[in-house]
Every structure is written in structure tokens, then in C-alpha cells.
Amino acid sequence: MAPNTVPQRAFALLSVVVPARDEAENLAVLLREIEAALSARPHEIVVVDDGSTDATAETLASLLAEGIPLRHIRHDRPAGQSRAIRSGVLSASGDLVVTIDGDGQNDPAFIPALVAALESTGATAGLAAGQRTGRTDTRLKQLSSRFANRLRTAILKDATRDTGCGLKAMPTELFRRLPYFDGWHRYLPALVLREGLSVVHIDVKDRERRFGRSNYGIFDRGLRGILDLFGVWWLRRRALVRPDVSEIVPDHSL
């Protein structure tokens, strides 16, 4: 190996986790887009139906009949975006999890770039995170997001402009061992840095919602978001020492 060359890695199976509540019309378009974007790689699509009351089940059954490699994980009641992502991560069969919002505003065409970024940087990187450009949300939501991102960056020093973007890629084993709490998906860069790993960022284009309205909005956060922020700050403060870990193999020839 040439000096200063980063050992690359290759993921065998991608699990695309899609949290969704009452997004049947958007899923009908989005899942076909995911399938097209990943046609060259082994993958599965894990849709976590967060207690939907629309035609989500019928839509997914129809797409499965078309041959799209999807799995339908259902919550019996709405539990929120974080819990939906968590359910998908725990159900994933692949060695890499890619998350994408179910409303269609994230473009699946950027998924290969996220995966390539993680594979090319080797085991030192724990997360490839999308950062939205050309935001299409309402002005209120954009201002709220900008304030939250600036406050989070100032306190956590996570060097991430936009943690609210649903497009992220992370090795499944790492995803499963991160501390879980409601709202964790907004703090994944800080939690990955806490593990002594780096975060790579990819600019992605934001798209307008095709159908319906948002089910996971800015008013879901409130005071809980502030408590989460300082909770993550505390977690990072409690993990300042990161020793190199190696196994000592006895020399039986002695």
C-alpha cells in the first residue's frame, strides 16, 4: 500500500430506511426512484410505516408485486420520526444503512455519492451526511432550522451545517450502538464524533413536496430539543478519553 493511502472498504448490502407516516402518494414515486438510483448495487428498502391511516399498505404491496425489494415495517401507532428510523435500523439486513425521508423532498440520486464517500474514506469515517441546498421549506421552517443549526454547532462543535437533512449513510453496527433517545436523528454527527470517528458531508438538492403536508414539523421539538441538545453535550463531555484498543495474543511458543 502506498504511503498515506487510506484503505478503502466496500459494503455488501445497502439497507435504505424510509420513515413515513401517511405518505402513500409520495412513496409510490420515491421508492421507484430509490430502486433506479441503486440498480447497480445489492440493496433492500425498509419502509417504516409510522402508524399510517392512508393507503400506505396497499401502495407498498403494489410496489412489492412490481419486484421492488422492499420490506414493510409497521408501527401500530404513530411514534415519531426518531423511533421510525430506529425501528428501521434494527430491522436492517444490510451492513450499511442509508436513511431518507418519506416525503420525497430528499433526492435518492444522491445516495450513491453518500455511499462512495464512506467507502473511499475507510474505517475512520462513521457517517456521510447530506446537507441541503436550495431549501424549499416555508420561511418559518427555514428560519427555525437555521437558528437550531447555529445553536447546535456553537454548543456541540459538530461542524455540520444541516443535521435536519434526512439523507445519511452509516455502517449498521455503528448505528445500532449509538445512544438512542427521541430526537437522536438530529444529533447523529455529534454522536458519531463522540465515537472518535469523522463525518463527511455531501451537498444535496432539496426538492418540493409533491403531495400532502409534513407530519414531522418544527413544533414537534420545542423544549425537548433544548434538553436533547444539552444531553448530547453532556454525553460528549463524558467520552473525552478514547484509547486505542488492541487484543494481546499470547505467544504459546514460549
Side-chain angles (χ1 to χ4, degrees), residues 6-7 13 19 60 62 77 80 91 95 100 106 120 122 141 147 164-165 175 189-190 203 213 233-234 240 245 248:
V6 176
L13 176 66
L60 297 183
S62 176
R77 70 200 76 177
S91 300
D95 53 343
I100 185 170
N106 300 150
S120 64
K141 196 166 185 178
F147 171 77
C165 179
F175 222 145
D203 283 345
R213 60 180 180 82
W233 173 83
W234 181 85
L240 292 179
V245 179
I248 307 299

Side-chain angles (χ1 to χ4, degrees), residues 88-130:
V89 171
L90 293 177
S91 300
S93 301
D95 53 343
L96 180 75
V97 166
V98 177
T99 64
I100 185 170
D101 290 345
D103 59 12
Q105 289 190 255
N106 300 150
D107 189 343
F110 291 97
I111 293 177
L114 292 175
V115 178
L118 270 189
E119 290 184 327
S120 64
T121 49
T124 59
L127 170 67

Side-chain angles (χ1 to χ4, degrees), residues 98-206:
V98 177
T99 64
I100 185 170
D101 290 345
D103 59 12
Q105 289 190 255
N106 300 150
D107 189 343
F110 291 97
I111 293 177
L114 292 175
V115 178
L118 270 189
E119 290 184 327
S120 64
T121 49
T124 59
L127 170 67
Q131 298 194 127
R132 292 166 290 185
T133 62
R135 294 286 299 275
T136 62
D137 291 322
T138 64
R139 185 64 175 165
L140 174 60
K141 196 166 185 178
Q142 288 185 47
L143 290 173
S144 170
S145 179
R146 188 177 305 164
F147 171 77
N149 278 314
R150 287 177 177 174
L151 179 62
R152 188 205 67 257
T153 300
I155 293 175
L156 299 182
K157 313 296 183 187
D158 60 5
T160 300
R161 185 184 76 240
D162 174 24
T163 62
C165 179
L167 274 168
K168 295 182 175 71
M170 190 187 306
T172 307
E173 182 276 331
L174 172 62
F175 222 145
R176 288 175 177 168
R177 64 182 162 90
L178 293 180
Y180 171 77
F181 54 92
D182 189 30
W184 74 324
H185 63 283
R186 301 185 185 100
Y187 298 96
L188 292 177
L191 294 173
V192 167
L193 292 172
R194 179 179 181 267
E195 298 295 317
L197 299 168
S198 63
V199 176
V200 293
H201 300 96
I202 302 292
D203 283 345
V204 301
K205 183 180 179 181
D206 194 34

Side-chain angles (χ1 to χ4, degrees), residues 19-23 48-54 56 78-80 213 215-216:
R21 186 168 84 214
D22 294 332
E23 298 285 8
V48 183
D49 172 3
D50 188 28
S52 296
T53 57
D54 65 354
T56 290
R213 60 180 180 82
N215 292 296
Y216 300 125

Side-chain angles (χ1 to χ4, degrees), residues 28-41:
V29 178
L30 177 65
L31 300 191
R32 291 187 177 97
E33 291 180 324
I34 295 173
E35 176 68 3
L38 294 178
S39 60
R41 299 198 61 142

